[in-house]
Amino acid sequence: ITATPRTATVGADTPATTARGGRRSWLRSPSFGAAVIMGLALASRLPGYLYQLMDTDESAIATMAMVLNRGGVLYRDVIDRKPPIPAFVYAGSFLVSGNRDLRPLHLIAALGLGASALVLAWGARRVAGPVAGWWAAGLLIAGTTALQPPDAQAANFAHLALLPACGAIVAARVGTRRSALLAGILIGVATLTRQTWIVGVMPGAFAAWWFGDRRWSRVAIVVGAAALTVASIALVVPFGDFWHWTFSGNGSVLAVGESLDVEDRAAIVFELFLLANVATCWLVARRGWRRTDLDLWLWLGTGLVAFAAGFRFFGHYWLQVLPPLCLLAGLGAASCRTGLRRVLIVVVAVPAVAAWTIALVDPPNFGAGVVRPLASYVQRHTNPGDLVTVWGSAPDLYWRSGRSPGGALITTDFVVGKTAWRRDGAARLADATPGARAIFLRSLRAHPPKLFLDTATAHLRGYGSYPLSRIPSVEAFVDAHYRRIGTVRGVTIYEHRPASTGSP
């Protein structure tokens, strides 16, 4: 933060004057400014300190973390089509806290947000002075807060990837070999946290070349460092399985398929984002087109591509768009008069405070009707070491009950091809993850769960379209090895028959 503005390299702007008449501004005090930014970031996550499950992705990560802490291996004993770093972060939090409480993870996400904002502040400050730096930081905090509560307050893949991603954007602009190496490593870390950040290799490599005196060696350093960082995950998880579940097996998710009301949904999501970030977008327009910002526009473009991929438009996908957008806007703020900036502060604060208030008074309430009572039933009728399989999409049941998933898969969506915002039914079977059915059955046979819960009979989360009969091999396994013992809120409960032999 204490670095002086850059004036002798490609992309340098003239630092803005922030104190008139010789008066000292708080903006010129890095320590005080950093404290304010961290305080805002921590305060922006207050709802997450009071409530636990803010997003269903959190329960999926938590389930993976539970299995890790019990000696399991990712992509073998517990499987999701997401990168591994968040699961290790959650596992570490659970070990330290001694429980499965998600609120410490929300604090970690808040600290990561504050650190991300400070990184952007440093990047903008070295180009256009302290005003640009603190505006870039403040806009990032406001923009992440002004999303809907599940998207703003969670500690999911997108939130945990924010810090390494911001670091990569800023480091790539420094123009040295070391900064290119750091940028590549951070792109790799971001990719291992949320796989869509892999598209950052292109703008990251370009920035290292552009600010590094057009030296192609900088490109090789960024690309090589990113590739080696991603490959290093082979030290802790099976690399082939990681690659399949994180990248090569996800083609159906990226396809348009039979997306429901894609035009209307896209329009609503974009309109809400623009309303919440109208000041940020205006400042970017004020900044205008400059050749020295070309790398930031590339980061912004790749972020929009990652947001739109698959046409599902979840709010937290904006977290890949906000860092370059806020950095550009911060540079634009440096040329604004003090009076105008005061007006813009109000425009920025209103949607952020409104979203924060909604999250505080009306937090998400996932699973209140079915999953919570079902988790209580599972806890009463199983031991902590027992496996439980859910035919459906309810990773929060594993987290709430503290039981590991039988069949290894976090959800059986991978078996039936169910994907958010796609029309449910038999047509989705073609979208099943390659190999998922065989892995599921092989795991069930090797380690039969004590309970098998069929949520299709309760029509929970769209699974009425995916009865067991859709997958005859799974239905045959359940018929051969389990007996029906009752229902809970419409969910059919099957119990394993230890004496059963044979395999369908």
Side-chain angles (χ1 to χ4, degrees), residues 1 26-27 29-41 114-115 117-118 121 125 134 137 141:
I1 301 300
W26 70 269
L27 291 171
S29 172
S31 58
F32 180 73
V36 169
I37 292 301
M38 288 302 299
L40 287 173
L118 292 178
R125 181 188 177 104
W134 301 130
I141 294 172

Side-chain angles (χ1 to χ4, degrees), residues 1-7 13-20 23-34 37 117-139 326-327 329-336 341:
I1 301 300
T2 58
T4 56
R6 187 180 182 185
T7 58
D13 289 3
T14 302
T17 300
T18 58
R20 300 182 182 277
R23 292 184 301 164
R24 182 174 177 81
S25 168
W26 70 269
L27 291 171
R28 292 195 178 276
S29 172
S31 58
F32 180 73
I37 292 301
L118 292 178
V119 168
L120 288 191
W122 186 86
R125 181 188 177 104
R126 67 188 297 275
V127 173
V131 169
W134 301 130
W135 268 84
L139 290 171
C326 293
L327 192 47
L331 299 177
S335 63
C336 294
R341 288 201 296 267

Side-chain angles (χ1 to χ4, degrees), residues 198-210:
I198 196 171
V199 299
V201 170
M202 182 179 70
F206 173 82
W209 174 80
W210 181 252

Side-chain angles (χ1 to χ4, degrees), residues 157-189:
F157 304 94
H159 293 87
L160 297 177
L162 196 60
L163 178 56
C166 288
I169 293 172
V170 172
R173 310 192 93 216
V174 175
T176 66
R177 289 183 178 179
R178 289 183 178 180
S179 65
L181 177 63
L182 178 60
I185 292 172
L186 291 174
I187 290 171
V189 172

